[in-house]
Amino acid sequence: MHLYIPNIRVVLERGQAYIMEALAQNKKHRKTATILSIIPGLGQLYNRQKLKGVLFLLLAVSYFVVFSDLLNIGLWGFFTLGTELPRDHSIFLLVEGIIAFIVIAIGIGFYLFNLIDAFKNGRKRDEGFALNSIKEQYHSVIDKGFPYLLVGPGFFLLIFVVVLPILFMLFLAFTNYDLYHSPPAKLVDWVGIENFTDIFTLEIWRDTFFSVFAWTIVWTFTATTLQIAIGIFLAVILNQKDLKFKGFIRTLLILPWAVPAFVSILVFAGMFNDSFGAINNDILAFFGIGPIPWLTDPMWTKVAVIFIQTWLGFPFVMAMTTGVLQSIPEELYEAATVDGATIMQKFKSITFPVIMAATAPILITQYTFNFNNFNVIYLFNEGKPAVSGQSAGGTDILISWIYSLTLKSAQYSKAAAITVLLSLIIIVVALINFRRTKAFKDEGM
Amino acid sequence: MKKFSAVLLTTTLALGALSACGPKDSGSSSTGDSDKKPEKLVVWEDKDKSAGLKPAVESFEKKYGVKVEFKEMPLLDQQEKLRLQGKTGNSADVITSPHDRVGPLVTEGLIEPINVSDDVKKMYTESSIKALTFKGKLYGLPKSTETPVFIYNKKYMKKAPATFDDVYKFSKGDKGGAQYGFLANWTDFYFASGVVNGFGGYVFKDSDGTLDPKDVGLATKGSVDGLTFISKWYKEGLFPTGIIGKKGGQTIDGLFGEKKVASVMNGPWSFKGYKDAGVDLGIAPMPKLPNGQEVKTFVGVKGWNVSAYSTHKKWAQKLVEWITNKENSKIRFEKTQEIPPVNDLIKDPVITKDEGAKAVAIQSQHGIPMPNIPEMAEVWDPGANALQLVATGKQEPQKALEDAKKSIDENIQAKHSGK
């Protein structure tokens, strides 16, 4: 999924190249226009594009009129996080600061555009081309700019609902925002990487972090691999030609997907109850197996959550794989049969590679999804049972631990730091996997 | 090239100059508090409880000519809203919160101390005033109190037993025909603390009303005795092992509603559900412990607090005093069944003739206020851990409590040393 976000460095380099070119060669118009455009609009006026020039000038002036206050307070607030109580609220100032940076980025973008525009039109004049008239400019904006016009509002919204919160969280990880450094009683301060060093050096944080992290990894791999394996296995079985009642069986197997997950999880939590649950009392008792401490023994609780996630997750993989299987040409199998291949060999050499090529990216998202699968962990047993010697519960994964740090202990900055670490892991894994996945390479999206 | 870097340089310098500016006003006089009579005051009331507030507000409006607006909001939402909207002036002058939130709220600077005369303070039970006091200052007046009591099904139990020895014998015996004699969620530290405190254990050392977070008493002999007593019920199978953790409470509620249990330990919030389930309810204070002590349950007090963002703190306090005075507290009890910790009312027939209210009122006097210092947040989980490990037979009380104390000490050190 390559998004073509204009790289700021490329833009800068390009702008620089234009300017250098203008300065190096004695090309009068492009040089003068570009230099004049240091004050936005003047270059355009010089190029006799009056409307555009006035518009640019107005935009530049109004930018400073409208945003001067925000930029002033925002930048000041971002660097100081407030100096006086009760006037300053550090957290609001931090948010204002981030907005100020976004506004500055937009401003710089516009400024570069203005320079490049002046240069380009200057060059046109140097080379003796006629400049676009107002009408032509209008048409050019409408034709070329139309996609941007459509994308614009969405992109603008994206900045505030996605980029802003992420930046906020990122910066929070470098502050000391917790219960004791909390406005309006206290100001929040920048503390550099102290939160991160604390997590890795203070015994209580380190021990809990690594034990939770280890379980998160185990949980992600076991639960996801199981759900994928069972999903593919069932899909292959269902795809056998001589199987009767296919539709019925398929519907039955899809059911776990149809019921909202949180309802299933809560029902499971009841069924797994040590003393009253159906699993111990009815199912295991029927086979003569004694009660198993599903909710009170960390090992068994882990088994239970992995089982539940497998149950919740396999129908999706199965449905997807079924679709892929329909598309494998029958000839491949016929040829394999002629060559004397066994069923296992057919699966290994034909079915499995095709499934992987088509679905690998989605299967990888299953891993990242389970890495952060808060619902199953929290709804089943709230990350419990207790384990002596650590503050997180026996089945707490990173995300559920972050949740309790934020909501129970008001350790906002620590939680933000752990979230940053968690995101880094996810991003790295996702990038490596996506880059290695054939499905993406071949399509070249 | 040179010119371009010059442009960049000037821009950077300009930005740098901007960032050096900041707000121009000095901000020293920006609290904006005034003693002038306000046009209106805003109160946030607990969910579904405004019936108890309305008459008090109306009489206040009549008496002082100040309009009072009130709005229902879940307790934790009130704090969240105050945190986010306080600065915009778009929040309440008076909020209501459980007293164990007083410490954190004061630490964050969201609520304001109040100044009332000793006569006013004496109106309320000592423990409820103590509950709302943090670092020697009073942060609000009590609105209602709650604590777990002994609830029994009259079908199986004729009258409430006087001691836990009786409960034990009953549970060991025929249980009056029920499946379980007595159930309590003693793996939840909130319920177990009553026993621990009763045996002489404590969470934080109380020296003259100030709790010392550096002296955690969970590994003392009293606490170990308490936990040993608790473990007996699990070990001997009187409590099934499935009633563990927070979900354990729901399981107990379910079993009691299905009339499989003769008696349970639970708070006043459960009365209605049990009655609706058709149980013939009897309610009494907790029976005495084998050492002759009362079960010193954690008492929760809900109080009215003045917001630090209020621009009319004097009047907000006046309103708090008004809605918690004797008449209005009585009205509140009649409308909402919330028990006001007002000394005169506890002896008032309105409360004494109500079995549940009476039991809660008496038990509140036996109990101790739940610690209101922020460090308490670190106690619940390790406390519950220790209880669960003991209940499931994985650890001995002494070892479990030592681990819990260590964990609590470490967490307090890690999360609460930044004062």
Side-chain angles (χ1 to χ4, degrees), chain B residues 365-396:
Chain B
Q365 287 166 326
H366 296 162
I368 55 168
M370 197 166 15
N372 63 4
I373 54 178
E375 284 85 351
M376 189 61 196
E378 310 310 329
V379 173
W380 299 112
D381 278 353
N385 286 2
L387 292 164
Q388 290 184 24
L389 291 168
V390 168
T392 50
K394 286 200 204 66
Q395 270 190 346
E396 287 307 307

Short mmCIF file of all heavy atoms in Angstrom, two decimals, chain B residues 365-396:
data_model
loop_
_atom_site.label_atom_id
_atom_site.label_comp_id
_atom_site.label_asym_id
_atom_site.label_seq_id
_atom_site.Cartn_x
_atom_site.Cartn_y
_atom_site.Cartn_z
N GLN B 365 -20.96 2.48 61.10
CA GLN B 365 -20.27 2.91 62.31
C GLN B 365 -19.20 1.91 62.74
O GLN B 365 -18.21 2.28 63.35
CB GLN B 365 -21.27 3.14 63.42
CG GLN B 365 -22.08 4.40 63.18
CD GLN B 365 -23.31 4.50 64.06
OE1 GLN B 365 -23.95 3.48 64.39
NE2 GLN B 365 -23.67 5.70 64.44
N HIS B 366 -19.40 0.63 62.40
CA HIS B 366 -18.38 -0.38 62.70
C HIS B 366 -17.19 -0.26 61.76
O HIS B 366 -16.07 -0.56 62.13
CB HIS B 366 -18.94 -1.81 62.56
CG HIS B 366 -20.03 -2.11 63.55
ND1 HIS B 366 -20.89 -3.15 63.39
CD2 HIS B 366 -20.39 -1.48 64.69
CE1 HIS B 366 -21.75 -3.17 64.40
NE2 HIS B 366 -21.46 -2.17 65.20
N GLY B 367 -17.47 0.12 60.54
CA GLY B 367 -16.45 0.09 59.50
C GLY B 367 -15.49 1.26 59.59
O GLY B 367 -15.58 2.13 60.45
N ILE B 368 -14.53 1.27 58.69
CA ILE B 368 -13.61 2.39 58.59
C ILE B 368 -13.68 2.95 57.17
O ILE B 368 -13.96 2.21 56.24
CB ILE B 368 -12.15 1.97 58.90
CG1 ILE B 368 -11.72 0.81 57.99
CG2 ILE B 368 -11.99 1.57 60.35
CD1 ILE B 368 -10.23 0.55 58.04
N PRO B 369 -13.45 4.26 57.02
CA PRO B 369 -13.54 4.80 55.67
C PRO B 369 -12.47 4.20 54.76
O PRO B 369 -11.34 3.99 55.20
CB PRO B 369 -13.31 6.31 55.85
CG PRO B 369 -13.03 6.54 57.27
CD PRO B 369 -13.14 5.28 58.03
N MET B 370 -12.87 3.92 53.56
CA MET B 370 -11.91 3.43 52.59
C MET B 370 -10.83 4.49 52.42
O MET B 370 -11.15 5.67 52.37
CB MET B 370 -12.67 3.24 51.26
CG MET B 370 -11.96 2.40 50.30
SD MET B 370 -12.98 1.83 48.93
CE MET B 370 -14.42 2.81 48.93
N PRO B 371 -9.55 4.11 52.36
CA PRO B 371 -8.51 5.14 52.24
C PRO B 371 -8.76 6.02 51.02
O PRO B 371 -9.14 5.52 49.97
CB PRO B 371 -7.23 4.31 52.06
CG PRO B 371 -7.51 3.01 52.69
CD PRO B 371 -8.97 2.76 52.48
N ASN B 372 -8.56 7.34 51.21
CA ASN B 372 -8.84 8.24 50.09
C ASN B 372 -7.58 8.80 49.45
O ASN B 372 -7.64 9.69 48.62
CB ASN B 372 -9.77 9.38 50.53
CG ASN B 372 -9.13 10.26 51.59
OD1 ASN B 372 -7.97 10.08 51.93
ND2 ASN B 372 -9.88 11.22 52.11
N ILE B 373 -6.42 8.28 49.84
CA ILE B 373 -5.19 8.79 49.23
C ILE B 373 -4.97 8.09 47.88
O ILE B 373 -5.41 6.96 47.70
CB ILE B 373 -3.97 8.59 50.16
CG1 ILE B 373 -3.81 7.13 50.57
CG2 ILE B 373 -4.10 9.46 51.39
CD1 ILE B 373 -2.61 6.87 51.45
N PRO B 374 -4.33 8.77 46.95
CA PRO B 374 -4.19 8.21 45.59
C PRO B 374 -3.46 6.86 45.59
O PRO B 374 -3.68 6.04 44.71
CB PRO B 374 -3.36 9.25 44.84
CG PRO B 374 -3.45 10.50 45.63
CD PRO B 374 -3.73 10.12 47.04
N GLU B 375 -2.60 6.65 46.58
CA GLU B 375 -1.84 5.40 46.64
C GLU B 375 -2.74 4.18 46.74
O GLU B 375 -2.31 3.07 46.44
CB GLU B 375 -0.88 5.42 47.84
CG GLU B 375 0.36 6.27 47.64
CD GLU B 375 0.12 7.73 47.99
OE1 GLU B 375 -1.05 8.11 48.22
OE2 GLU B 375 1.10 8.50 48.02
N MET B 376 -3.99 4.38 47.16
CA MET B 376 -4.90 3.26 47.30
C MET B 376 -5.09 2.51 45.98
O MET B 376 -5.35 1.31 45.97
CB MET B 376 -6.25 3.77 47.83
CG MET B 376 -7.22 2.68 48.23
SD MET B 376 -6.57 1.64 49.57
CE MET B 376 -7.67 0.24 49.46
N ALA B 377 -4.94 3.24 44.87
CA ALA B 377 -5.13 2.61 43.56
C ALA B 377 -4.18 1.43 43.36
O ALA B 377 -4.48 0.51 42.60
CB ALA B 377 -4.91 3.64 42.44
N GLU B 378 -3.05 1.46 44.04
CA GLU B 378 -2.07 0.38 43.87
C GLU B 378 -2.37 -0.81 44.76
O GLU B 378 -1.67 -1.81 44.70
CB GLU B 378 -0.66 0.91 44.16
CG GLU B 378 -0.29 2.19 43.43
CD GLU B 378 -0.58 2.11 41.94
OE1 GLU B 378 -0.50 1.01 41.39
OE2 GLU B 378 -0.93 3.17 41.37
N VAL B 379 -3.38 -0.67 45.64
CA VAL B 379 -3.64 -1.74 46.61
C VAL B 379 -4.59 -2.78 46.04
O VAL B 379 -4.42 -3.97 46.27
CB VAL B 379 -4.20 -1.14 47.91
CG1 VAL B 379 -4.64 -2.25 48.86
CG2 VAL B 379 -3.18 -0.24 48.56
N TRP B 380 -5.58 -2.34 45.29
CA TRP B 380 -6.65 -3.24 44.88
C TRP B 380 -6.14 -4.49 44.18
O TRP B 380 -6.50 -5.61 44.55
CB TRP B 380 -7.65 -2.52 43.97
CG TRP B 380 -8.31 -1.37 44.64
CD1 TRP B 380 -8.15 -0.04 44.33
CD2 TRP B 380 -9.22 -1.40 45.74
NE1 TRP B 380 -8.90 0.73 45.16
CE2 TRP B 380 -9.57 -0.07 46.03
CE3 TRP B 380 -9.77 -2.42 46.50
CZ2 TRP B 380 -10.44 0.27 47.06
CZ3 TRP B 380 -10.65 -2.09 47.51
CH2 TRP B 380 -10.97 -0.75 47.78
N ASP B 381 -5.32 -4.32 43.15
CA ASP B 381 -4.92 -5.49 42.37
C ASP B 381 -4.00 -6.43 43.14
O ASP B 381 -4.28 -7.63 43.21
CB ASP B 381 -4.29 -5.05 41.04
CG ASP B 381 -5.37 -4.73 40.02
OD1 ASP B 381 -6.55 -4.99 40.33
OD2 ASP B 381 -5.05 -4.22 38.94
N PRO B 382 -2.89 -5.93 43.72
CA PRO B 382 -2.07 -6.86 44.51
C PRO B 382 -2.86 -7.49 45.65
O PRO B 382 -2.69 -8.68 45.94
CB PRO B 382 -0.95 -5.98 45.05
CG PRO B 382 -0.87 -4.84 44.11
CD PRO B 382 -2.27 -4.61 43.65
N GLY B 383 -3.77 -6.71 46.27
CA GLY B 383 -4.61 -7.25 47.34
C GLY B 383 -5.45 -8.40 46.82
O GLY B 383 -5.49 -9.49 47.41
N ALA B 384 -6.11 -8.18 45.70
CA ALA B 384 -6.95 -9.22 45.11
C ALA B 384 -6.10 -10.42 44.70
O ALA B 384 -6.51 -11.57 44.87
CB ALA B 384 -7.72 -8.66 43.92
N ASN B 385 -4.88 -10.13 44.17
CA ASN B 385 -3.98 -11.22 43.79
C ASN B 385 -3.71 -12.14 44.97
O ASN B 385 -3.84 -13.35 44.87
CB ASN B 385 -2.63 -10.66 43.31
CG ASN B 385 -2.73 -10.05 41.95
OD1 ASN B 385 -3.81 -10.00 41.37
ND2 ASN B 385 -1.62 -9.58 41.43
N ALA B 386 -3.32 -11.50 46.09
CA ALA B 386 -2.99 -12.28 47.28
C ALA B 386 -4.20 -13.12 47.69
O ALA B 386 -4.08 -14.32 47.97
CB ALA B 386 -2.56 -11.36 48.41
N LEU B 387 -5.37 -12.49 47.71
CA LEU B 387 -6.58 -13.20 48.12
C LEU B 387 -6.86 -14.38 47.21
O LEU B 387 -7.20 -15.48 47.65
CB LEU B 387 -7.77 -12.24 48.13
CG LEU B 387 -7.72 -11.15 49.20
CD1 LEU B 387 -8.70 -10.04 48.89
CD2 LEU B 387 -8.02 -11.74 50.57
N GLN B 388 -6.70 -14.15 45.91
CA GLN B 388 -6.98 -15.23 44.96
C GLN B 388 -5.99 -16.36 45.09
O GLN B 388 -6.35 -17.53 45.00
CB GLN B 388 -6.97 -14.69 43.53
CG GLN B 388 -8.16 -13.79 43.25
CD GLN B 388 -8.18 -13.33 41.81
OE1 GLN B 388 -7.64 -13.97 40.93
NE2 GLN B 388 -8.83 -12.20 41.58
N LEU B 389 -4.72 -16.00 45.26
CA LEU B 389 -3.70 -17.05 45.38
C LEU B 389 -3.96 -17.89 46.62
O LEU B 389 -3.78 -19.10 46.61
CB LEU B 389 -2.30 -16.43 45.44
CG LEU B 389 -1.84 -15.79 44.13
CD1 LEU B 389 -0.60 -14.95 44.34
CD2 LEU B 389 -1.58 -16.87 43.08
N VAL B 390 -4.41 -17.24 47.69
CA VAL B 390 -4.69 -17.99 48.91
C VAL B 390 -5.97 -18.81 48.74
O VAL B 390 -6.03 -19.99 49.10
CB VAL B 390 -4.80 -17.03 50.11
CG1 VAL B 390 -5.39 -17.74 51.32
CG2 VAL B 390 -3.44 -16.45 50.44
N ALA B 391 -6.98 -18.18 48.15
CA ALA B 391 -8.27 -18.88 48.00
C ALA B 391 -8.12 -20.12 47.14
O ALA B 391 -8.78 -21.13 47.37
CB ALA B 391 -9.30 -17.94 47.38
N THR B 392 -7.25 -20.07 46.13
CA THR B 392 -7.08 -21.22 45.26
C THR B 392 -6.00 -22.17 45.79
O THR B 392 -5.64 -23.13 45.11
CB THR B 392 -6.72 -20.80 43.83
OG1 THR B 392 -5.63 -19.88 43.90
CG2 THR B 392 -7.89 -20.13 43.16
N GLY B 393 -5.49 -21.87 46.98
CA GLY B 393 -4.56 -22.78 47.62
C GLY B 393 -3.17 -22.76 47.02
O GLY B 393 -2.38 -23.67 47.25
N LYS B 394 -2.85 -21.73 46.25
CA LYS B 394 -1.53 -21.71 45.62
C LYS B 394 -0.46 -21.15 46.53
O LYS B 394 0.72 -21.37 46.33
CB LYS B 394 -1.58 -20.90 44.33
CG LYS B 394 -2.29 -21.64 43.22
CD LYS B 394 -1.91 -21.06 41.89
CE LYS B 394 -2.96 -21.31 40.86
NZ LYS B 394 -4.24 -20.64 41.12
N GLN B 395 -0.88 -20.34 47.51
CA GLN B 395 0.10 -19.75 48.41
C GLN B 395 -0.46 -19.71 49.82
O GLN B 395 -1.67 -19.68 50.02
CB GLN B 395 0.46 -18.33 47.96
CG GLN B 395 1.63 -18.30 47.00
CD GLN B 395 2.11 -16.88 46.76
OE1 GLN B 395 1.44 -15.91 47.09
NE2 GLN B 395 3.27 -16.77 46.15
N GLU B 396 0.44 -19.68 50.78
CA GLU B 396 0.03 -19.52 52.17
C GLU B 396 -0.20 -18.04 52.42
O GLU B 396 0.44 -17.19 51.78
CB GLU B 396 1.14 -20.05 53.09
CG GLU B 396 1.24 -21.56 53.10
CD GLU B 396 -0.09 -22.23 53.41
OE1 GLU B 396 -0.72 -21.88 54.45
OE2 GLU B 396 -0.54 -23.09 52.63
#
